[in-house]
Amino acid sequence: MAGRRAAMKSVDWLAFAERVPPNQRAMFNNLKTRSDSIAAKLTALPEKPVSIDWAYYRKTVPKAGMVDDFEKKFAALSIPEPVDTETSRINAQEQESNKLALDYIAASKARIATYQAELEKFNNMIPFDQMTIDDLNHTFPETKLDKEKYPYWPHKPIADL
């Protein structure tokens, strides 16, 4: 059983190592060494625990009935395996993270499209040294001064400066 559990929980150390930054390489190596030593100890354990030789203890222990009492209690003892209550929550978090990542990718692609359109505008515009004020105001409308609303220089609100 120990070998089967260890096989189910194997870690892809090569993929893990690719994601470790150089300044954390020593900590990663310590983790891998520790994990390997624990896995080696786990695989060294027998599949089933060694059975207790109750007859030997009946001959050795002088008090009559004590070994029989221990044997009954040992036979009645059952250690339940822990119930997995976290996997469903972790899977829900993973699905939520995947959804957020896909939303972020979609938003990033939309931003990339707007930035490419803006870059295209910059690549196709008249060079600055050949532009007139009208060309500048047409290409960059935010630079146009509102001389009717603000007739005095700087022709925009002081708060915007």
Side-chain angles (χ1 to χ4, degrees), residues 57-123:
Y57 288 109
R58 280 192 193 89
K59 288 188 276 184
T60 308
V61 176
K63 186 174 180 182
M66 184 177 193
V67 175
D68 293 330
D69 186 38
F70 279 145
E71 186 177 9
K72 285 180 194 172
K73 288 180 182 177
F74 184 77
L77 178 69
S78 67
I79 300 172
E81 288 203 21
V83 178
D84 185 9
T85 59
E86 297 298 317
T87 301
S88 61
R89 196 182 77 175
I90 290 170
N91 289 340
Q93 285 178 347
E94 181 183 13
Q95 289 175 353
E96 181 66 24
S97 296
N98 288 341
K99 181 180 166 284
L100 291 174
L102 291 175
D103 292 345
Y104 181 78
I105 290 170
S108 295
K109 287 182 180 178
R111 283 194 306 275
I112 288 170
T114 58
Y115 294 151
Q116 285 178 338
E118 191 173 341
L119 180 65
E120 189 66 29
K121 176 180 119 177
F122 290 139
N123 287 336

